[in-house]
Amino acid sequence: MRVSKLVVREDVRRALHEDIAAGDITAGLIPDGHMASGHLICREQAIFCGRDWFEEVFQQLDPSISIDWEVKDGDFLQSEQVFCRFSGPASALLQGERTALNFIQMLSGVATAARRYVDVLDALGTGVRLLDTRKTLPGLRAAQKYATACGGCVNHRITLAECFLVKENHIQACGSLTKTIETARRQSSYAKLEVEVETMDELREAIQAGADMALLDNFTPAMVREALTINQGALLLEVSGGVNAGNLADYAMVGVDFISVGSLTKDLKAVDFSMRFSQ
């Protein structure tokens, strides 16, 4: 996945506005023309993500700031590794420090979480792929989806226009699962159609009605095995709900195509980075 420069620019513009729209009285203590240099340190093992956002912070504050990277997005960082060096006007560096760190610590945290799940799935060798969800921070979906991809995740739909995902409330509003699928096919014969199912009968109905994919919502591993027997390869199957790092292996069985995990983007654990000025 790629994120356009316009999206990155707007993400950063909003973030800087939160900090400095009314000014920065502390950075005003720095003498005019004072220059500084320094480096970034990673305090724990992590997957790095967020270079474009970090750079854009300082591009908007002072384009004369120089940033030299020793890593790219998706690279593994060791604890205490120095991975970036910078130099430029001290006041601008200090103004952007928190905003720039916020972006890379959040996005690296998302990428790191995704990689942990992907590594487990790869080791199992069942062919199951990890999906993200739309449970993202408002206004930062593209950034977080990019981060999950850096961690090895497959992006599920980014916007509501990309495919049909029929859920319980859609079915209630339309009258029945079959009627909902028929309506969707009339509206678009080419868009992928996924249906969330909560019972085996709903899975059978989704198969009969001609869905492309079924989301097995909050199924136990035993229920997933039963669903695989019913499905017999008719639909692509996604397991979602209740999956975590502790039980991931229980769900990653042959015949399941995807496992989606909302916690990748909604339950954030930021990576610990430090920005240090040189003496």
Side-chain angles (χ1 to χ4, degrees), residues 63 82 104 146 184 189 193 224:
V82 174
I104 61 171
Y146 172 78
S189 60
L193 198 161
V224 173

Side-chain angles (χ1 to χ4, degrees), residues 91-106:
S91 59
L93 287 168
L94 289 167
Q95 270 191 337
E97 175 183 7
R98 184 70 270 152
T99 302
L101 287 175
N102 282 347
F103 276 113
I104 61 171
Q105 71 184 20
M106 182 269 289

Side-chain angles (χ1 to χ4, degrees), residues 153-173:
C153 184
V154 177
N155 292 138
H156 207 315
R157 60 179 183 166
I158 298 174
T159 72
L160 295 175
E162 292 183 22
C163 67
F164 292 106
L165 179 46
V166 175
K167 298 194 174 187
E168 179 184 9
N169 288 335
H170 297 102
I171 295 168
Q172 290 291 331

Side-chain angles (χ1 to χ4, degrees), residues 245-257:
N247 62 21
L248 179 64
D250 297 329
Y251 284 97
M253 56 193 75
V254 174
V256 171
D257 297 285

Side-chain angles (χ1 to χ4, degrees), residues 131-152:
L131 288 177
D132 54 24
T133 72
R134 289 189 303 114
K135 296 175 181 176
T136 53
L137 296 174
L140 288 173
R141 176 167 299 155
Q144 287 194 286
K145 291 274 193 176
Y146 172 78
T148 64
C150 284

Side-chain angles (χ1 to χ4, degrees), residues 200 203-204 207 222-233 237:
M200 301 306 162
L203 176 59
R204 293 185 182 95
I207 295 170
M223 292 172 69
V224 173
R225 283 190 288 272
E226 183 180 351
L228 288 168
T229 300
I230 293 169
N231 187 56
Q232 292 294 309
L237 294 182

